[in-house]
């Protein structure tokens, strides 16, 4: 299974990605996790990303594409993967298609978690408080939401046109959402 999970920041993608990956026996590839690890280890990439994220921006396509391609070349992703946080732009969709075409692969399904903006803002403010994430201020969260609507939301339409999009209500208890996802992907 080669899957993508879409949704605004705070929709629960990371939480659900772990469950989906376990269910299908594939790695969950989170660009956010890769970026955070680089920030924590203060790598050159980490320092660049830290500065970008502090203002609520997204990391450039070139950097993100290279990181994803490198990760998908690892052995554990050969039989499938779940991408979380990638692609975010139409240019990244094109890059991903090209990466997969090199090995005669394609995406099987694109899962979109649908969550109301105000629910997302409240979730992220709570997460910032619990996890001490300094980059999750309300202003930065709202900027990320605006970027998501402008740049990432169009991907839903593109994948829907390909017949790959599966929309799932991302509000409610974690287990309820997980059950909806498994049912939707099994359909």
């Amino acid at each position: 299974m080669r899957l993508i999970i879409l949704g605004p920041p705070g929709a629960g993608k990371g939480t659900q990605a772990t469950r989906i990956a376990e269910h299908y026996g594939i790695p969950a590839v989170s660009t956010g996790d890769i970026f955070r690890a680089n920030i924590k280890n203060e790598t050159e990439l980490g320092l660049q990303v830290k500065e970008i994220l502090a203002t609520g921006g997204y990391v450039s396509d070139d950097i993100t594409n290279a990181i994803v391609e490198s990760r998908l070349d690892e052995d554990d992703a050969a039989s499938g993967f779940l991408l979380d946080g990638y692609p975010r732009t139409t240019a990244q969709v094109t890059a991903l298609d090209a990466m997969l075409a090199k090995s005669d692969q394609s995406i099987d399904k694109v899962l979109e978690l649908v969550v109301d903006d105000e629910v997302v803002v409240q979730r992220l403010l709570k997460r910032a408080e619990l996890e001490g994430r300094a980059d999750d201020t309300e202003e930065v969260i709202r900027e990320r939401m605006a970027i998501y609507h402008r740049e990432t939301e169009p991907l839903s339409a593109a994948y829907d046109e390909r017949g790959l999009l599966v929309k799932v209500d991302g509000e409610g208890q974690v287990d309820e959402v997980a059950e909806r996802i498994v049912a939707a992907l099994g359909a």
Side-chain angles (χ1 to χ4, degrees):
M1 259 313 220
R2 287 171 201 82
L3 304 168
I4 295 171
I5 188 167
L6 295 176
K13 294 183 303 293
T15 300
Q16 295 301 335
T18 303
R19 289 169 170 245
I20 295 165
E22 286 173 8
H23 183 80
Y24 288 105
I26 55 176
V29 177
S30 164
T31 52
D33 287 349
I34 294 169
F35 293 151
R36 281 187 286 280
N38 277 276
I39 290 168
K40 182 179 179 189
N41 295 327
E42 297 183 343
T43 66
E44 184 178 331
L45 171 67
L47 296 174
Q48 288 176 356
V49 170
K50 183 177 182 177
E51 189 175 316
I52 294 165
L53 295 181
T55 63
Y58 279 162
V59 179
S60 76
D61 287 351
D62 290 345
I63 293 171
T64 307
N65 292 338
I67 285 171
V68 170
E69 185 164 22
S70 172
R71 179 62 183 90
L72 295 184
D73 282 343
E74 293 180 27
D75 291 342
D76 68 337
S79 62
F81 50 80
L82 172 95
L83 292 173
D84 168 13
Y86 182 90
R88 287 187 192 251
T89 65
T90 53
Q92 288 178 0
V93 170
T94 303
L96 177 60
D97 288 344
M99 281 177 223
L100 295 175
K102 288 178 189 174
S103 55
D104 266 347
Q105 298 176 346
S106 61
I107 294 298
D108 296 308
K109 297 248 186 201
V110 177
L111 173 70
E112 181 179 11
L113 292 179
V114 180
V115 182
D116 181 76
D117 282 4
E118 290 310 310
V119 171
V120 166
V121 170
Q122 293 313 307
R123 281 184 185 178
L124 290 176
L125 288 173
K126 183 173 180 128
R127 182 177 78 182
E129 185 181 312
L130 294 174
E131 297 179 12
R133 289 192 182 192
D135 63 331
D136 278 352
T137 65
E138 185 165 350
E139 181 181 349
V140 168
I141 291 166
R142 291 197 184 278
E143 174 60 19
R144 273 197 225 133
M145 294 299 296
I147 293 170
Y148 172 79
H149 289 302
R150 186 173 62 245
E151 295 182 8
T152 308
E153 230 170 41
L155 305 187
S156 295
Y159 283 120
D160 195 26
E161 286 175 17
R162 295 184 188 187
L164 298 176
L165 188 68
V166 178
K167 288 187 177 199
V168 175
D169 179 359
E171 293 184 33
Q173 297 300 314
V174 172
D175 290 339
E176 292 171 1
V177 176
E179 287 172 18
R180 284 185 220 132
I181 290 169
V182 170
L185 289 176

